[in-house]
Amino acid sequence: MNRSNERAISVTLKSIRLPRFLDHPQQHLDLEHMPEDSSPPSGPSGSSPKSDVSRRLFLQTIGISAATVAAERQAANADAVMKPGGATIIGPMPARTSLQVNGRQLDFIAEPATTLLEALRERCDITGPKEVCDRAACGGCTVLLDERPVASCMMLALDATDRKITTVEGIGTIDAPDPLQEAMAEFDAMQCGFCTPGVVTSAKALLVRNPRPTLHEIRAALSGNLCRCGAYPNIFNAVLVASGQDPVAEPTDRGRTTSGGHA
Amino acid sequence: MSHQPRALRAINAGQSVADHATRLEGLEKATGAARFGRDQIKKDMLWVRLIRCPWGRASLDSLDRDAALATPGVVEVVVSGDAGEYHGDSIGYLVARNRRGLERGLQALDAKWTRLDCKTGILDDQEARAPIGDPSKEAAKAIDAADFSFEASYSTPVQTHSSLETHGLMIEPDGENSIVHASTQGTFVVADQIGRFLGKRRSKIVINCEHVGGGFGSKFQIGKEGAAGGLAAKTSGEAVYSFCDREEEHLDTGNRPSLLCKVRLGHDADGTIRGARFETFGGTGVSRRGGGARVPSGRFEFGTLDARNHRDVQFNAGGPRAMRAPGCPQGAFVEELLIDEIAHRCGLDPLDLRRRLDDSERRHQMYDVAADLIGWENRSDTGSQSGTMRTGYGIGTCDWGKGRAPAKIEVVVHPDGHLEVRTGTQDIGTGQRTAMGALVAARIGVPLANISVAIGNSRLPAGPASGGSVCTPSTAPAAMAAADLARERILSGVAEREKLDATQLTIDDGVIMEGGRKVVRWEDACRRLSEPVSVTGEFDGRASAYWGEGSSEGVQAARVEVDCETGQVFVRDVIAIQSCGLPLVRKTAESQIMGGVIQGTSYALFEEQVLDPGTGAVLNANLESYKILGSEDCPRIVPVLWRDDQTGVRALGEPPVIPTAAAIANAVFNAIGRPVRDLPLRPDRVLAALAEPMAERVVAVAPRTTDRETRA
C-alpha cells in the first residue's frame, strides 16, 4: 500500500466525520525504505513527473468506502506499471514536484502524499493560504486552480502540477493591491485576518465568473469560508463595492423617538 | 445607501475620534502578507504533537515507544502519564523532523487504552437533576407575598472558542536568545510563562505576536502545546513548531462552560418581581472552577434575592477558559427570557416591563432607539400568530465594568515628521494597533498617514493582555499622555524659534497654526530635530487625567423568522446599540460590535459541544460538525455607537456578545408563543416547544394587536 492510499483512507475517514482517534488504518505501512523528506533543490527542475493517481477521482468518489477508493487506486497503479513506456509511478519515495504558483515555477521534493496546502506553506514559503481545519470545512486554505476556488488541504500537490495556481499573494500585493483587496481594507472586512486570504480568494473567483454579483450570490459564494471574528457584513460590502455596486443600505439616523446618543 | 459617503455608516457619523481611519494592517491581511505565528515555518524545525487520550476516561495499557522512535523522522517521544481524564487529555508528546514523522510516529506508538466509566455533563450530578431548593427565609417571604409564583429551568451548552488560528507557538533560537512567535492574547503573559520550559531567563526571550489569528479568552496561557514546544526547544536547541490541530483545538484549549439554572420567583399582576431564588450549576469538565454565570446581572430589579447558589460540576471533559464576557451571555439568556416570560404572563409589552425593572437612564434611551430601528411597532402579541413562517421580535441588554491595567505607550518623533507608536501589547483583531495610531494622530493633529505602529513584541513597552475588555481603556490614557508630550516637545521648539507663545499654537491636519495663521508644517518643524525624540506615556492602572467619564451599556433588538414546519430559526435583523465611552476608530468599533452579534447569534442557534454519554468522546471536534455561523446565516446587523458626551475610553470587546442570544431567544418566544429554555435553539427544540401548550397567561388582557400572520 503506498502513501497515496494511506492518505486517501485518512481523508475519507475524515470526510465521513469519524473522530480522529479512529483515524488509524489497520494496515501497517512498510516504512523501512522511506527516507526523510529532503530539502527542495534550487534552480529549475528537470522534467516534472506526472501523477497517474488522480486526487480528483478521489474527490468525486467521496462517500464511497475507503476500501473501494484504495482498491481503485491500486488498480490504477497496477495498470500503469503494466503499460510499457506509459505513465510513471510516483512514490513511495519523495518525488520531484513542480508547481506554477502566482506566475512562478516552484520546484521541490516531497512525498506524494503532500497536500497542495502543505506544499505551498511548508515547501514554497507561501503562507497566505491558511491551515485551519485541514478538511475543507472552513475555506481558510482556498486557492485558485486556474480560475476555480479549491480547498488546497484536500488536494495533492502532485495533482496540481499542470495547473495554474493563484494564491491570495498572486491576486495582489501591498504595493499593487487588487481593487477587491483595497475594498476589504476600506470596509474593515476582517478582524484577526486569519480567514481573510481565503475570503479574498473565494470572492475573487466569484468576481471573475460574475462581475456584478447580488448580495445573495455573494453570500452563497462565501458560504464555504468561515470567519470567527464576524466580519461577514463588511465582507459583503467590500465585494459589492469592488464590483462597482453600492454597499448594503443602512439606516441613516437614530429614529424619531429620542435625542439621545448624538455627538 | 448610494448617497452615503463611501464606507461610512451614516448612523455613526461623528461618533468616534477617527471616523474614516481604516485598519492599519488591513492591506497586509487582505494580501496575505501578514505573518501569523502559525505561518512561521522553517525548513529545518522540529514538529511537536501531544499524545492524547481518545476517551472520556481511560487508562493506558501499552504503547510502543521503541517503534515510534524507530520511525523515520521521529526524534523524541516523551511519555509522562498513563491515564486520561477526558478526551484530549495528554500523557506526553512526540517530536519529529516533519509533519509526516509526527503522523507515522503516533501511529507506530500504537497506544492501547482501556476505556473507563465517565461522567459527561451537568445532569450526571444528582443535585443538578433535583428540583430547585427552598428559597432563603427572606426570599420565601417575598415570593409568597407576590400575586403569582413562577418556576422554570434553563440551560446553555459548552461553546468552544474556535479561533481560526489554533493555539501554539514557534520557537527559534537567535544567538543566546529565543524568539517565540506565539498565537496569544497576552504578549507579556507568554514571556513570563515560557521561560521555565525553555530554561531561559526572561531577558533572553523575545515574544513576537504581531498578528494573532483570533483570541476570545482562551489564549492567555501558553497551554500544554506551548509547554511541550518549550521543552522540545530546550532539549534540542533547534527551532520548534508546536501548534494544535483543529481537533485538539476543540478538545483541550478551553471553552465557555455549560450552565444549568433553576429559578423560582414571585411576581405581581403588574409584572413587579417581589423575590426570587436562582440556582446555578456550571459544567467545568475536569476543572474545579470557572463555571460561574452572571445571573441575575443586577440590571433588573428582582426584589428580595436568594441568588448565591452556585456549584461547579465536574465531569470528564476539557475544562473551561475565559470566553468573551465569561458567564454573561448564558446569564443574560436566562434573565432576559425570564423577564419576557413574566411580561407575557402579565400581558405586558416586554419593553415596558424592562423600562420598569431597569433603572439605567442610558438604556432607557437605547430601548426607544432599538425599538424604532427594529420596527417594534410591527411586533405581534406573543403566540398570536399562526401559519408556517412566524416573525418574532426580542430585546436583550448588557453592561460592563470599568476595568483597567497599567500600560505604557512610547511615541518616537522622527526628523522627517514620521511618528512611530510603540506598544508591546497585542492586536488580536480588536483594532488595538489602529486605535493607538489614530488616537495619537488625532491628539497631535497630524494625518494618520504620518503614523506607524509597532505592536505585539515583548521588547516594546509593556501593556495589558487582551482580556476583560481592559486593553484599549488602559492603553488609551497612556497614548494620550505620550501624544501630548510629543506635541509639546515640537511646539515648544517652534515657539522658541519663532518667538511665539507655545500655548497659542495648534496643529491642524499637519500644519502648526497660531490663531488662523499658518506657522510651519509639522514635517518642517520636525526637521529641526537632530535625532529621533522618544517620549513615553504611562497609565498606572488607577488614576489619570485622561481616564475621563464613560460606561459600557448596550441594548440589542432582534427580528427572527421561525419556520414552524421545520423548526428552523432565521435571524433576520439585529440592532446592536452599544456605548463604550469615547469610541476611537469607528470602523473597527463597528466591527467589534458586529463580531459580538455574530458570535452571539452563532451561540444562540448552532454551537454545542456534544459528548458521547457512553464513551465521553467529543463527537464534533471539527468545524464541519461543530457548526459556527457562516455567511448564509448572517443577519443584517446595524451597529450603533452610542457616545453621548462621554470622554473616557471604555470597554467594547466583550459587552456586545452578551445580549444577542437573549434577544434571539425572546424573539423566538414572541414568534411561537412558547419559550425555548435551552440553547442552542435547535430545530428539534423549537418543534418540541410547538408541541407544548401555549405559554400561560395569568393576567387576562385584550390583545394589543390583531393576529398578524406570516410576514415574509
PDB file of all heavy atoms in Angstrom, chain A residues 72-97:
ATOM      1  N   GLU A  72      -9.415   0.997  -6.121  1.00  0.00           N
ATOM      2  CA  GLU A  72      -9.358   1.640  -7.429  1.00  0.00           C
ATOM      3  C   GLU A  72      -7.972   2.201  -7.706  1.00  0.00           C
ATOM      4  O   GLU A  72      -7.446   2.101  -8.798  1.00  0.00           O
ATOM      5  CB  GLU A  72     -10.372   2.789  -7.507  1.00  0.00           C
ATOM      6  CG  GLU A  72     -11.780   2.323  -7.806  1.00  0.00           C
ATOM      7  CD  GLU A  72     -12.736   3.504  -7.878  1.00  0.00           C
ATOM      8  OE1 GLU A  72     -12.280   4.612  -8.218  1.00  0.00           O
ATOM      9  OE2 GLU A  72     -13.916   3.304  -7.587  1.00  0.00           O
ATOM     10  N   ARG A  73      -7.420   2.783  -6.667  1.00  0.00           N
ATOM     11  CA  ARG A  73      -6.116   3.405  -6.835  1.00  0.00           C
ATOM     12  C   ARG A  73      -5.043   2.351  -7.081  1.00  0.00           C
ATOM     13  O   ARG A  73      -4.162   2.529  -7.906  1.00  0.00           O
ATOM     14  CB  ARG A  73      -5.757   4.214  -5.600  1.00  0.00           C
ATOM     15  CG  ARG A  73      -6.535   5.483  -5.597  1.00  0.00           C
ATOM     16  CD  ARG A  73      -6.362   6.209  -4.313  1.00  0.00           C
ATOM     17  NE  ARG A  73      -6.878   7.552  -4.513  1.00  0.00           N
ATOM     18  CZ  ARG A  73      -6.114   8.622  -4.539  1.00  0.00           C
ATOM     19  NH1 ARG A  73      -4.826   8.509  -4.368  1.00  0.00           N
ATOM     20  NH2 ARG A  73      -6.629   9.792  -4.741  1.00  0.00           N
ATOM     21  N   GLN A  74      -5.172   1.250  -6.350  1.00  0.00           N
ATOM     22  CA  GLN A  74      -4.192   0.203  -6.557  1.00  0.00           C
ATOM     23  C   GLN A  74      -4.286  -0.311  -7.998  1.00  0.00           C
ATOM     24  O   GLN A  74      -3.302  -0.545  -8.661  1.00  0.00           O
ATOM     25  CB  GLN A  74      -4.408  -0.938  -5.572  1.00  0.00           C
ATOM     26  CG  GLN A  74      -3.317  -0.969  -4.531  1.00  0.00           C
ATOM     27  CD  GLN A  74      -3.729  -1.637  -3.257  1.00  0.00           C
ATOM     28  OE1 GLN A  74      -4.819  -2.196  -3.166  1.00  0.00           O
ATOM     29  NE2 GLN A  74      -2.858  -1.598  -2.272  1.00  0.00           N
ATOM     30  N   ALA A  75      -5.520  -0.429  -8.429  1.00  0.00           N
ATOM     31  CA  ALA A  75      -5.735  -0.896  -9.799  1.00  0.00           C
ATOM     32  C   ALA A  75      -5.108   0.089 -10.792  1.00  0.00           C
ATOM     33  O   ALA A  75      -4.453  -0.309 -11.748  1.00  0.00           O
ATOM     34  CB  ALA A  75      -7.232  -1.037 -10.077  1.00  0.00           C
ATOM     35  N   ALA A  76      -5.303   1.369 -10.512  1.00  0.00           N
ATOM     36  CA  ALA A  76      -4.733   2.381 -11.399  1.00  0.00           C
ATOM     37  C   ALA A  76      -3.218   2.260 -11.447  1.00  0.00           C
ATOM     38  O   ALA A  76      -2.604   2.308 -12.505  1.00  0.00           O
ATOM     39  CB  ALA A  76      -5.136   3.774 -10.929  1.00  0.00           C
ATOM     40  N   ASN A  77      -2.627   2.058 -10.280  1.00  0.00           N
ATOM     41  CA  ASN A  77      -1.178   1.892 -10.216  1.00  0.00           C
ATOM     42  C   ASN A  77      -0.727   0.659 -10.999  1.00  0.00           C
ATOM     43  O   ASN A  77       0.200   0.715 -11.782  1.00  0.00           O
ATOM     44  CB  ASN A  77      -0.724   1.749  -8.764  1.00  0.00           C
ATOM     45  CG  ASN A  77      -0.546   3.112  -8.131  1.00  0.00           C
ATOM     46  OD1 ASN A  77      -0.424   4.102  -8.848  1.00  0.00           O
ATOM     47  ND2 ASN A  77      -0.548   3.147  -6.821  1.00  0.00           N
ATOM     48  N   ALA A  78      -1.436  -0.444 -10.716  1.00  0.00           N
ATOM     49  CA  ALA A  78      -1.058  -1.695 -11.363  1.00  0.00           C
ATOM     50  C   ALA A  78      -1.153  -1.540 -12.871  1.00  0.00           C
ATOM     51  O   ALA A  78      -0.279  -1.956 -13.620  1.00  0.00           O
ATOM     52  CB  ALA A  78      -1.974  -2.815 -10.874  1.00  0.00           C
ATOM     53  N   ASP A  79      -2.214  -0.867 -13.279  1.00  0.00           N
ATOM     54  CA  ASP A  79      -2.429  -0.631 -14.695  1.00  0.00           C
ATOM     55  C   ASP A  79      -1.245   0.134 -15.287  1.00  0.00           C
ATOM     56  O   ASP A  79      -0.719  -0.201 -16.329  1.00  0.00           O
ATOM     57  CB  ASP A  79      -3.735   0.175 -14.849  1.00  0.00           C
ATOM     58  CG  ASP A  79      -4.181   0.175 -16.301  1.00  0.00           C
ATOM     59  OD1 ASP A  79      -4.016  -0.866 -16.945  1.00  0.00           O
ATOM     60  OD2 ASP A  79      -4.675   1.216 -16.753  1.00  0.00           O
ATOM     61  N   ALA A  80      -0.839   1.149 -14.554  1.00  0.00           N
ATOM     62  CA  ALA A  80       0.238   1.991 -15.048  1.00  0.00           C
ATOM     63  C   ALA A  80       1.529   1.200 -15.169  1.00  0.00           C
ATOM     64  O   ALA A  80       2.270   1.342 -16.130  1.00  0.00           O
ATOM     65  CB  ALA A  80       0.435   3.182 -14.130  1.00  0.00           C
ATOM     66  N   VAL A  81       1.790   0.360 -14.191  1.00  0.00           N
ATOM     67  CA  VAL A  81       3.015  -0.423 -14.204  1.00  0.00           C
ATOM     68  C   VAL A  81       3.056  -1.332 -15.433  1.00  0.00           C
ATOM     69  O   VAL A  81       4.080  -1.490 -16.069  1.00  0.00           O
ATOM     70  CB  VAL A  81       3.116  -1.283 -12.924  1.00  0.00           C
ATOM     71  CG1 VAL A  81       4.310  -2.234 -13.019  1.00  0.00           C
ATOM     72  CG2 VAL A  81       3.249  -0.375 -11.709  1.00  0.00           C
ATOM     73  N   MET A  82       1.882  -1.863 -15.771  1.00  0.00           N
ATOM     74  CA  MET A  82       1.851  -2.828 -16.861  1.00  0.00           C
ATOM     75  C   MET A  82       2.062  -2.190 -18.235  1.00  0.00           C
ATOM     76  O   MET A  82       2.398  -2.845 -19.174  1.00  0.00           O
ATOM     77  CB  MET A  82       0.534  -3.607 -16.844  1.00  0.00           C
ATOM     78  CG  MET A  82       0.493  -4.636 -15.726  1.00  0.00           C
ATOM     79  SD  MET A  82      -0.965  -5.669 -15.788  1.00  0.00           S
ATOM     80  CE  MET A  82      -2.234  -4.518 -15.333  1.00  0.00           C
ATOM     81  N   LYS A  83       1.818  -0.905 -18.305  1.00  0.00           N
ATOM     82  CA  LYS A  83       1.969  -0.255 -19.607  1.00  0.00           C
ATOM     83  C   LYS A  83       3.435   0.059 -19.877  1.00  0.00           C
ATOM     84  O   LYS A  83       4.015   0.889 -19.174  1.00  0.00           O
ATOM     85  CB  LYS A  83       1.168   1.047 -19.646  1.00  0.00           C
ATOM     86  CG  LYS A  83      -0.321   0.831 -19.933  1.00  0.00           C
ATOM     87  CD  LYS A  83      -1.024   2.171 -20.045  1.00  0.00           C
ATOM     88  CE  LYS A  83      -2.517   1.955 -20.197  1.00  0.00           C
ATOM     89  NZ  LYS A  83      -3.247   3.203 -19.969  1.00  0.00           N
ATOM     90  N   PRO A  84       4.034  -0.579 -20.865  1.00  0.00           N
ATOM     91  CA  PRO A  84       5.433  -0.241 -21.136  1.00  0.00           C
ATOM     92  C   PRO A  84       5.530   1.186 -21.688  1.00  0.00           C
ATOM     93  O   PRO A  84       4.756   1.573 -22.554  1.00  0.00           O
ATOM     94  CB  PRO A  84       5.846  -1.270 -22.194  1.00  0.00           C
ATOM     95  CG  PRO A  84       4.598  -1.885 -22.712  1.00  0.00           C
ATOM     96  CD  PRO A  84       3.472  -1.549 -21.803  1.00  0.00           C
ATOM     97  N   GLY A  85       6.424   1.943 -21.121  1.00  0.00           N
ATOM     98  CA  GLY A  85       6.614   3.310 -21.589  1.00  0.00           C
ATOM     99  C   GLY A  85       5.468   4.223 -21.253  1.00  0.00           C
ATOM    100  O   GLY A  85       5.360   5.337 -21.755  1.00  0.00           O
ATOM    101  N   GLY A  86       4.574   3.751 -20.382  1.00  0.00           N
ATOM    102  CA  GLY A  86       3.397   4.543 -20.026  1.00  0.00           C
ATOM    103  C   GLY A  86       3.696   5.484 -18.887  1.00  0.00           C
ATOM    104  O   GLY A  86       4.818   5.934 -18.699  1.00  0.00           O
ATOM    105  N   ALA A  87       2.641   5.771 -18.121  1.00  0.00           N
ATOM    106  CA  ALA A  87       2.756   6.734 -17.032  1.00  0.00           C
ATOM    107  C   ALA A  87       3.756   6.272 -15.987  1.00  0.00           C
ATOM    108  O   ALA A  87       3.949   5.084 -15.787  1.00  0.00           O
ATOM    109  CB  ALA A  87       1.400   6.940 -16.392  1.00  0.00           C
ATOM    110  N   THR A  88       4.365   7.234 -15.336  1.00  0.00           N
ATOM    111  CA  THR A  88       5.329   6.934 -14.279  1.00  0.00           C
ATOM    112  C   THR A  88       4.598   6.757 -12.954  1.00  0.00           C
ATOM    113  O   THR A  88       3.642   7.479 -12.674  1.00  0.00           O
ATOM    114  CB  THR A  88       6.307   8.114 -14.117  1.00  0.00           C
ATOM    115  OG1 THR A  88       6.642   8.593 -15.410  1.00  0.00           O
ATOM    116  CG2 THR A  88       7.539   7.693 -13.345  1.00  0.00           C
ATOM    117  N   ILE A  89       5.065   5.828 -12.178  1.00  0.00           N
ATOM    118  CA  ILE A  89       4.507   5.690 -10.830  1.00  0.00           C
ATOM    119  C   ILE A  89       5.270   6.615  -9.894  1.00  0.00           C
ATOM    120  O   ILE A  89       6.497   6.613  -9.884  1.00  0.00           O
ATOM    121  CB  ILE A  89       4.611   4.233 -10.349  1.00  0.00           C
ATOM    122  CG1 ILE A  89       3.683   3.365 -11.203  1.00  0.00           C
ATOM    123  CG2 ILE A  89       4.261   4.131  -8.869  1.00  0.00           C
ATOM    124  CD1 ILE A  89       3.764   1.899 -10.860  1.00  0.00           C
ATOM    125  N   ILE A  90       4.533   7.387  -9.143  1.00  0.00           N
ATOM    126  CA  ILE A  90       5.155   8.299  -8.178  1.00  0.00           C
ATOM    127  C   ILE A  90       5.143   7.635  -6.810  1.00  0.00           C
ATOM    128  O   ILE A  90       4.120   7.109  -6.395  1.00  0.00           O
ATOM    129  CB  ILE A  90       4.373   9.623  -8.083  1.00  0.00           C
ATOM    130  CG1 ILE A  90       4.027  10.152  -9.475  1.00  0.00           C
ATOM    131  CG2 ILE A  90       5.142  10.634  -7.252  1.00  0.00           C
ATOM    132  CD1 ILE A  90       5.176  10.725 -10.218  1.00  0.00           C
ATOM    133  N   GLY A  91       6.234   7.748  -6.085  1.00  0.00           N
ATOM    134  CA  GLY A  91       6.273   7.250  -4.722  1.00  0.00           C
ATOM    135  C   GLY A  91       6.564   5.779  -4.660  1.00  0.00           C
ATOM    136  O   GLY A  91       6.657   5.133  -5.691  1.00  0.00           O
ATOM    137  N   PRO A  92       6.731   5.239  -3.481  1.00  0.00           N
ATOM    138  CA  PRO A  92       6.558   5.902  -2.192  1.00  0.00           C
ATOM    139  C   PRO A  92       7.708   6.843  -1.835  1.00  0.00           C
ATOM    140  O   PRO A  92       7.609   7.553  -0.844  1.00  0.00           O
ATOM    141  CB  PRO A  92       6.501   4.733  -1.199  1.00  0.00           C
ATOM    142  CG  PRO A  92       7.323   3.668  -1.844  1.00  0.00           C
ATOM    143  CD  PRO A  92       7.118   3.817  -3.314  1.00  0.00           C
ATOM    144  N   MET A  93       8.766   6.860  -2.609  1.00  0.00           N
ATOM    145  CA  MET A  93       9.876   7.760  -2.299  1.00  0.00           C
ATOM    146  C   MET A  93       9.466   9.204  -2.572  1.00  0.00           C
ATOM    147  O   MET A  93       8.650   9.452  -3.445  1.00  0.00           O
ATOM    148  CB  MET A  93      11.078   7.430  -3.188  1.00  0.00           C
ATOM    149  CG  MET A  93      11.476   5.977  -3.190  1.00  0.00           C
ATOM    150  SD  MET A  93      12.155   5.480  -1.610  1.00  0.00           S
ATOM    151  CE  MET A  93      13.843   6.031  -1.839  1.00  0.00           C
ATOM    152  N   PRO A  94      10.042  10.146  -1.838  1.00  0.00           N
ATOM    153  CA  PRO A  94       9.786  11.554  -2.157  1.00  0.00           C
ATOM    154  C   PRO A  94      10.138  11.818  -3.611  1.00  0.00           C
ATOM    155  O   PRO A  94      11.120  11.285  -4.129  1.00  0.00           O
ATOM    156  CB  PRO A  94      10.724  12.318  -1.216  1.00  0.00           C
ATOM    157  CG  PRO A  94      10.910  11.404  -0.061  1.00  0.00           C
ATOM    158  CD  PRO A  94      10.899  10.014  -0.642  1.00  0.00           C
ATOM    159  N   ALA A  95       9.310  12.629  -4.239  1.00  0.00           N
ATOM    160  CA  ALA A  95       9.470  12.842  -5.670  1.00  0.00           C
ATOM    161  C   ALA A  95       9.611  14.326  -5.973  1.00  0.00           C
ATOM    162  O   ALA A  95       9.104  15.179  -5.256  1.00  0.00           O
ATOM    163  CB  ALA A  95       8.265  12.274  -6.414  1.00  0.00           C
ATOM    164  N   ARG A  96      10.292  14.571  -7.067  1.00  0.00           N
ATOM    165  CA  ARG A  96      10.431  15.948  -7.524  1.00  0.00           C
ATOM    166  C   ARG A  96       9.065  16.455  -7.963  1.00  0.00           C
ATOM    167  O   ARG A  96       8.326  15.771  -8.653  1.00  0.00           O
ATOM    168  CB  ARG A  96      11.413  15.968  -8.702  1.00  0.00           C
ATOM    169  CG  ARG A  96      11.819  17.329  -9.165  1.00  0.00           C
ATOM    170  CD  ARG A  96      12.840  17.206 -10.296  1.00  0.00           C
ATOM    171  NE  ARG A  96      14.096  16.617  -9.838  1.00  0.00           N
ATOM    172  CZ  ARG A  96      15.081  17.325  -9.268  1.00  0.00           C
ATOM    173  NH1 ARG A  96      14.929  18.623  -9.090  1.00  0.00           N
ATOM    174  NH2 ARG A  96      16.177  16.747  -8.891  1.00  0.00           N
ATOM    175  N   THR A  97       8.727  17.621  -7.504  1.00  0.00           N
ATOM    176  CA  THR A  97       7.420  18.184  -7.829  1.00  0.00           C
ATOM    177  C   THR A  97       7.624  19.612  -8.279  1.00  0.00           C
ATOM    178  O   THR A  97       8.502  20.307  -7.786  1.00  0.00           O
ATOM    179  CB  THR A  97       6.509  18.172  -6.586  1.00  0.00           C
ATOM    180  OG1 THR A  97       6.573  16.881  -5.987  1.00  0.00           O
ATOM    181  CG2 THR A  97       5.068  18.478  -6.954  1.00  0.00           C
TER     182      THR A  97
END
